[in-house]
């Protein structure tokens, strides 16, 4: 049974920072692609960032230079460090995982594997 549990969301002023965490359990493929997507009610999902098993990262153009994805394999935890936040970053952020192929910031938003319940980020 796969579980992805996000935390770290909250409210912050524009220009501020937040760090999201995602604890993963039950993933049987050690080479899973992991990442983050975001979605507001009534809007399409937007892939934000992804990291593959070799540590290669991929980012949406809208967050490049501001967000950093990383993972701690020993803790089965994925992170998203978000700096220089903007009001347009306001969304529900979801942690996602899928198989190792075609891992990029867009792939994690396609609903191909697993995702968590989300954590809300609000930037004002």
């Amino acid at each position: 049974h796969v579980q992805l549990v996000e935390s770290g969301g909250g409210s912050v002023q524009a220009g501020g920072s937040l760090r999201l965490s995602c604890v993963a359990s039950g993933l049987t493929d050690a080479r899973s692609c992991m990442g983050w997507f975001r979605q507001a009610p009534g809007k399409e999902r937007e892939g934000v960032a992804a990291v593959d098993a070799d540590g290669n990262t991929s980012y949406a153009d809208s967050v490049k230079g501001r967000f950093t994805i990383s993972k701690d394999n020993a803790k089965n935890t994925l992170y998203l460090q978000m700096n220089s936040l903007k009001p347009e970053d306001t969304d529900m952020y979801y942690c996602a995982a899928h198989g190792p192929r075609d891992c990029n910031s867009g792939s994690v938003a396609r609903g191909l594997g697993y995702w968590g319940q989300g954590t809300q980020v609000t930037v004002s």
Side-chain angles (χ1 to χ4, degrees):
H1 177 62
V2 176
Q3 275 195 311
L4 302 173
V5 181
E6 305 94 337
S7 62
S11 296
V12 64
Q13 291 189 335
S17 298
L18 285 172
R19 188 175 83 153
L20 306 184
S21 299
C22 169
V23 178
S25 60
L27 287 171
T28 57
D29 190 339
R31 295 191 62 78
S32 292
C33 172
M34 296 196 70
W36 298 88
F37 67 86
R38 60 191 183 186
Q39 187 174 26
K43 290 190 174 182
E44 290 189 359
R45 292 179 177 180
E46 179 188 10
V48 175
V51 58
D52 67 15
D54 296 322
N56 299 304
T57 58
S58 170
Y59 296 94
D61 288 343
S62 58
V63 306
K64 278 181 183 175
R66 300 188 298 122
F67 291 10
T68 303
I69 190 171
S70 62
K71 58 180 180 176
D72 185 331
N73 291 327
K75 295 182 179 180
N76 293 324
T77 302
L78 181 73
Y79 302 100
L80 185 69
Q81 178 67 44
M82 306 186 295
N83 299 329
S84 302
L85 282 161
K86 304 175 181 180
E88 52 263 44
D89 294 317
T90 295
D91 253 324
M92 186 73 81
Y93 283 70
Y94 297 85
C95 174
H98 66 73
R101 295 183 64 183
D102 300 324
C103 182
N104 56 68
S105 61
S107 70
V108 294
R110 291 188 196 130
L112 300 174
Y114 308 96
W115 55 93
Q117 294 298 309
T119 185
Q120 178 67 39
V121 171
T122 302
V123 186
S124 59

